[in-house]
Amino acid sequence: MMKTMEASAAPAAHDPWYKYGVAVLILEMAIAVAVSAWSLYMTFHGLGGLSGKH
Amino acid sequence: MKTHKVEQLVIATTGFFWCFLMWFATAAFSPSIAANYHLSIKAMGLLASSAIWMAPVGRVAAGWASDRFGAPRTFAFVLGTCGLVSIASAYTVDYRLLFIERVIVAAAGVSFVIGIQHVAQWFKTNEIGTAEGLYAGTGNVGAGAGALLLPRIFGTDYRSAFLWLGVVALGIAVWYLVRGKAAHTAEQRDLVRARSDLRGTLFVWTRYIALALMLAYAMSFGLEIALNAWLPGYFTRGFHGAIVALGFTGVAGIQIAAGTFAAVESFTASLFRPFSGYMSDLFQRKGWTPLPFMARTLPYAPRLHWLGIAVILITMGMTGLTIAGVMGSLHLSVMVLVVLGVFISCGTGGTFALVPLLFPDRPGTASGFIGGVSTAAGIVYPLIFASGADIHMGYLAVALSMFLPFVLFYFWAARYERHPEEHGLLTQVLVIEDAA
């Protein structure tokens, strides 16, 4: 992949909060995958499911 | 007052979460309201659609107000107003008055752009994607959480729900006023305030790159809210036999199955949104610019490329949904829908990782335009989905007739290697000397 001059020259320095922010987003993704998988399993087996916002 | 940007992020996210909870509270209790007032199907549909009425114009106004008066005051005003009207609606017995009150409460949905502006005033450019993603993604969950939890907590007693939602909203409004701070520095706050005039607003509205981002958001968030409304009916009609074969019988059973398939898309689209912001940060950090034609030397070019990839993926996902539907495979359709939900989150997160960087002097005005006007797409897509002879072909029709031109326009608008925000309509009239 090509790189922009500005972007590649800039150091990637993050504040301490950033790693906790990334941990939260990983947790949210895990919840999305788990709820989706559970919900689809229930539904495809005729057991009902998570009705979500509907 | 001593504060930290994470505190500001937490305040904005909490306020947004609660606003989304109030926004969709009416929908969560619509069966109870319908039973109480003996509403027809038509009246129920009107009540459901009213939730989105305030969004396009309201978000534009809220974005401008957050630049002008600061996010804490604007957010507190929205929370306070919606909270008070929500409390009033708990004691209302006349249905027409209740309908009007709930439309006003649904204005809480405009709060999205206020928080976007607030977060943009606090976080650095290399972490803006993750910060905005965490704000928007976590806040968005309020809609789903409300639908899941409110009926379980309050049962059919929607009046108590409206009362407590309003009371807590007032508490958050006070918290926002006391602890919220408009910007990291007073200079930044004053600069944004000074740029919030009519000319500045017209300047943003006429920029090609702002129009391109608005269309990208219409392809992502606009599609998300359109699918929320469309998918339960689509699965019920398009896969009736397959759902019955799974063991779901009767109207209620089929509704549960169809609603579950539909909810998976919105749930994934919401909770993967912070990931998209992180990916935008990662593209920026690594300097990835893989797409042709688009700018490569702009300071935020990698973020433009990430969003470019997202809008291509969304178009492909829509095509895949038609293919799966024509094949008659319920399992494949649901799998494509899950993937499409992730692609949509890439678009929503990618768009608002860019907006504050492109218009740093007018983040609220730009957020209001891009996040507001694009919601009108949520009304247009279902009309196209429903217009064809084959219910499965609507996704391909939208992809070819709308998304493909949108993607081409995005690539065209993102090709400038220097100051893309300077290119637009009426530039000579609207240009402000120190805008760049």
Side-chain angles (χ1 to χ4, degrees), chain B residues 123-169:
Chain B
F123 285 84
K124 293 187 291 191
T125 54
N126 67 332
E127 55 193 24
I128 194 76
T130 302
E132 295 285 17
L134 283 168
Y135 159 75
T138 312
N140 265 347
V141 178
L148 279 174
L149 299 178
L150 289 176
R152 285 167 173 79
I153 295 170
F154 293 98
T156 58
D157 186 10
Y158 64 87
R159 295 180 189 280
S160 295
F162 293 167
L163 175 66
W164 285 108
L165 284 169
V167 169
V168 176

Side-chain angles (χ1 to χ4, degrees), chain A residues 1-4 6-7 12-15 17-18 21-22 24-25 28-29 31-33 35-36 39-40 43-44 46-54, chain B residues 5-6 123-124 126-127 130 134 138 147-148 228 246 248 260-261 263 267-268 271-272 274-275 278 281 284-289 296-297 301 331 334:
Chain A
M1 289 184 174
M2 293 194 175
K3 289 187 174 187
T4 60
E6 291 87 344
H14 289 299
D15 290 350
W17 79 274
Y18 196 77
V22 173
V24 170
L25 75 85
E28 290 190 346
M29 281 193 297
I31 291 170
V33 170
V35 171
S36 298
S39 188
L40 290 177
T43 310
F44 279 127
L47 301 170
L50 196 65
S51 58
K53 65 174 70 169
H54 303 283
Chain B
K5 59 186 174 184
V6 175
F123 285 84
K124 293 187 291 191
N126 67 332
E127 55 193 24
T130 302
L134 283 168
T138 312
L148 279 174
N228 286 348
L246 288 174
F248 293 95
T260 301
F261 297 141
F267 205 70
T268 313
L271 284 177
F272 268 77
F275 165 74
Y278 172 76
D281 285 351
Q284 185 66 31
R285 194 162 65 244
K286 299 289 186 185
W288 292 337
T289 54
R296 287 205 168 93
T297 57
H331 286 72
V334 173

Side-chain angles (χ1 to χ4, degrees), chain B residues 93-250:
Chain B
V93 289
D94 178 66
Y95 177 70
R96 277 180 297 185
L97 181 59
L98 179 71
F99 182 89
I100 293 167
E101 287 171 336
R102 297 314 298 175
V103 169
I104 295 171
V105 173
V110 309
S111 61
F112 166 72
V113 298
I114 309 170
I116 285 284
Q117 194 267 8
H118 190 190
V119 174
Q121 300 291 0
W122 277 90
F123 285 84
K124 293 187 291 191
T125 54
N126 67 332
E127 55 193 24
I128 194 76
T130 302
E132 295 285 17
L134 283 168
Y135 159 75
T138 312
N140 265 347
V141 178
L148 279 174
L149 299 178
L150 289 176
R152 285 167 173 79
I153 295 170
F154 293 98
T156 58
D157 186 10
Y158 64 87
R159 295 180 189 280
S160 295
F162 293 167
L163 175 66
W164 285 108
L165 284 169
V167 169
V168 176
L170 292 180
I172 298 173
V174 172
W175 180 33
Y176 219 129
L177 271 180
V178 172
R179 293 299 306 171
K181 196 176 169 193
H184 186 49
T185 63
E187 291 76 22
Q188 175 66 14
R189 182 200 61 200
D190 294 340
L191 176 67
V192 168
R193 183 180 296 168
R195 293 284 167 79
S196 61
D197 57 359
L198 180 62
R199 190 167 64 165
T201 302
L202 289 174
F203 177 80
V204 170
W205 281 54
T206 52
R207 302 303 90 194
Y208 296 138
I209 193 67
L211 288 165
L213 290 178
M214 187 272 288
L215 294 175
Y217 206 59
M219 285 181 66
S220 46
F221 186 71
L223 178 63
E224 185 181 334
I225 56 176
L227 290 177
N228 286 348
W230 166 255
L231 284 174
Y234 167 70
F235 279 110
T236 302
R237 290 187 61 187
F239 293 97
H240 187 272
I243 290 174
V244 170
L246 288 174
F248 293 95
T249 53

Side-chain angles (χ1 to χ4, degrees), chain B residues 208-423:
Chain B
Y208 296 138
I209 193 67
L211 288 165
L213 290 178
M214 187 272 288
L215 294 175
Y217 206 59
M219 285 181 66
S220 46
F221 186 71
L223 178 63
E224 185 181 334
I225 56 176
L227 290 177
N228 286 348
W230 166 255
L231 284 174
Y234 167 70
F235 279 110
T236 302
R237 290 187 61 187
F239 293 97
H240 187 272
I243 290 174
V244 170
L246 288 174
F248 293 95
T249 53
V251 176
I254 291 170
Q255 274 190 125
I256 287 174
T260 301
F261 297 141
V264 165
E265 173 271 326
S266 65
F267 205 70
T268 313
S270 292
L271 284 177
F272 268 77
R273 187 167 175 158
F275 165 74
S276 172
Y278 172 76
M279 284 299 293
S280 183
D281 285 351
L282 185 66
F283 262 62
Q284 185 66 31
R285 194 162 65 244
K286 299 289 186 185
W288 292 337
T289 54
L291 298 177
F293 309 118
M294 292 172 63
R296 287 205 168 93
T297 57
L298 278 170
Y300 43 78
R303 295 187 190 276
L304 285 170
H305 283 251
W306 167 241
L307 183 56
I309 290 170
V311 292
I312 291 171
L313 290 175
I314 291 169
T315 309
M316 291 170 65
M318 291 284 276
T319 308
L321 209 50
T322 287
I323 293 170
V326 169
M327 287 170 64
S329 170
L330 175 61
H331 286 72
L332 184 60
S333 285
V334 173
M335 291 305 137
V336 171
L337 203 56
V338 171
V339 175
L340 180 61
V342 176
F343 291 166
I344 286 171
S345 77
C346 295
T348 54
T351 302
F352 277 94
L354 267 165
V355 173
L357 302 180
L358 274 158
F359 299 99
D361 301 341
R362 303 177 183 86
T365 301
S367 299
F369 171 61
I370 292 162
V373 178
S374 56
T375 55
I379 301 164
V380 177
Y381 300 146
L383 298 176
I384 300 175
F385 293 156
S387 64
D390 185 337
I391 196 168
H392 303 296
M393 295 302 289
Y395 310 110
L396 185 63
V398 169
L400 293 177
S401 66
M402 299 184 75
F403 286 7
L404 202 54
F406 290 177
V407 171
L408 292 173
F409 182 76
Y410 177 81
F411 272 66
W412 178 80
R415 75 191 188 284
Y416 299 106
E417 297 288 359
R418 282 179 57 80
H419 298 298
E421 72 280 7
E422 287 182 354
H423 300 274

